[in-house]
Amino acid sequence: QVQVVESGGGLVQPGGSLRLSCAASGFTFSSSAMNWYRQAPGKEREWLAGISPAGNIYYADSVKGRFTISRDNAKSTVYLQMNSLKPEDSAVYYCFAAKLQYWGQGTQVTVSS
């Protein structure tokens, strides 16, 4: 059974940080590119960052310099470290496994004072 499960979301003040995790199972994680997306109410789903099996990393301009994607193949987990958070970062954050074209259920991030 394929599973992709995000965690680590919550409420944080502007300027704060969160670390999201995406735990995967049921497929060969090490051979799949992994990506993070987000979607706010009334807006399109937005691609944020991706990491290839070889460790090549790509970011959207909106998060470059603030967010960091990484992966731990031994734990079948991909992370998104989010720093200097802004209210406009509030959204549901999704993990996407490219090999299977498979989405996680999402985790809510709210940036508010």
Side-chain angles (χ1 to χ4, degrees):
Q1 183 79 7
V2 172
Q3 286 191 296
V4 176
V5 181
E6 302 95 332
S7 62
L11 176 64
V12 64
Q13 293 186 349
S17 298
L18 285 174
R19 189 195 194 202
L20 306 184
S21 298
C22 171
S25 61
F27 66 100
T28 305
F29 175 84
S30 61
S31 67
S32 179
M34 302 296 294
N35 297 266
W36 285 98
Y37 289 75
R38 69 186 179 192
Q39 188 167 28
K43 298 180 67 176
E44 295 182 348
R45 189 165 295 190
E46 176 188 15
W47 175 82
L48 301 175
I51 183 166
S52 76
N56 304 113
I57 292 172
Y58 305 90
Y59 295 105
D61 288 343
S62 60
V63 304
K64 188 173 295 183
R66 298 189 298 127
F67 292 11
T68 302
I69 189 171
S70 61
R71 68 190 298 157
D72 185 340
N73 288 339
K75 296 181 178 180
S76 294
T77 300
V78 62
Y79 304 95
L80 187 68
Q81 177 67 46
M82 306 188 296
N83 299 326
S84 302
L85 285 163
K86 308 171 182 179
E88 52 262 45
D89 294 320
S90 296
V92 177
Y93 282 70
Y94 296 93
C95 185
F96 178 69
K99 182 177 180 180
L100 298 177
Q101 301 287 287
Y102 196 92
W103 296 94
Q105 84 292 336
T107 185
Q108 177 71 51
V109 172
T110 303
V111 184
S112 176
S113 58

